[in-house]
Amino acid sequence: MASLIVVVIIIIVGFISWQFLWRTKTVLFLCVHNTFRSQIAEAYFNKLAKEKRLKWQAKSAGFLEAEKINEKAIILMEEEGVDISSKKPKLMTKEMIKSADKIVVVCQECEEQGLCLNLPKDEKTEYWRLPNPAEMEIDQARKIRNLVKEKTIDLIERLKER
């Protein structure tokens, strides 16, 4: 009887470990309103991670509510062949933070406004501190989009090494 219990425990522990090791992990991109930079980062990450067969997915959210994605973000991603026109801004929740394996705060305003004080203060969270392209001319906003893409590619490379 004792050996049967040990076998069952080994099976349960093995199953839980297997699920943890092989589950799709999540990176959460955060910004003030989830209307530009975090949406672009999510779209790039999901496209590139899929191409590289990385077992990660991206989600994005904002610290504050917003109604719609910035039109320039939609245009800039269309240039890249990525359609984000049907996306909607999402408000960050505690559950999103808790379930994320990696958190990336893409904007600089979050820290300035004290919005990210409750985020984990460990290697799980990183800050990109990108300027806000929402009010920039399209050529300047394109530079921010390209920077988001570069940083997303770098993040994917670092996650592949884990």
Side-chain angles (χ1 to χ4, degrees):
M1 182 67 169
S3 61
L4 179 60
I5 292 172
V6 170
V7 169
V8 169
I9 290 172
I10 290 171
I11 290 171
I12 291 171
V13 169
F15 179 73
I16 292 170
S17 299
W18 178 82
Q19 280 189 317
F20 180 76
L21 291 173
W22 295 106
R23 72 177 174 79
T24 299
K25 294 182 180 180
T26 301
V27 59
L28 177 62
F29 291 101
L30 296 174
C31 200
V32 176
H33 291 104
N34 189 226
T35 60
F36 209 117
R37 293 160 285 188
S38 53
Q39 289 283 347
I40 288 174
E42 175 187 4
Y44 274 135
F45 189 95
N46 285 330
K47 178 182 186 296
L48 299 169
K50 183 177 180 180
E51 290 172 2
K52 296 189 179 286
R53 300 182 189 272
L54 192 65
K55 289 204 46 102
W56 281 78
Q57 67 177 344
K59 296 181 180 180
S60 66
F63 292 95
L64 304 174
E65 289 187 69
E67 290 185 28
K68 63 181 185 170
I69 303 298
N70 186 294
E71 193 63 33
K72 276 187 270 192
I74 294 168
I75 292 167
L76 290 170
M77 291 308 284
E78 282 176 357
E79 292 177 359
E80 294 282 288
V82 179
D83 181 12
I84 62 169
S85 62
S86 64
K87 296 288 189 176
K88 304 284 183 228
K90 297 168 291 299
L91 190 60
M92 179 196 69
T93 65
K94 289 179 182 177
E95 182 53 42
M96 288 176 169
I97 298 298
K98 185 178 174 184
S99 65
D101 298 286
K102 181 75 176 168
I103 299 169
V104 179
V105 180
V106 297
C107 61
Q108 60 191 19
E109 306 94 300
C110 294
E111 287 180 286
E112 294 167 0
Q113 297 175 22
L115 298 172
C116 47
L117 296 175
N118 294 326
L119 296 179
K121 309 267 191 286
D122 55 21
E123 72 282 345
K124 180 178 177 176
T125 306
E126 67 181 69
Y127 295 84
W128 289 359
R129 297 177 179 93
L130 301 172
N132 187 355
E135 301 302 321
M136 294 178 179
E137 295 295 325
I138 194 80
D139 288 336
Q140 292 299 313
R142 188 175 289 112
K143 291 178 183 176
I144 303 302
R145 179 209 58 198
N146 293 343
L147 190 54
V148 170
K149 184 176 183 179
E150 289 172 23
K151 289 185 159 293
T152 302
I153 290 169
D154 175 66
L155 175 63
I156 288 171
E157 290 304 315
R158 288 185 283 128
L159 293 175
K160 276 178 30 181
E161 295 171 2
R162 285 183 166 187

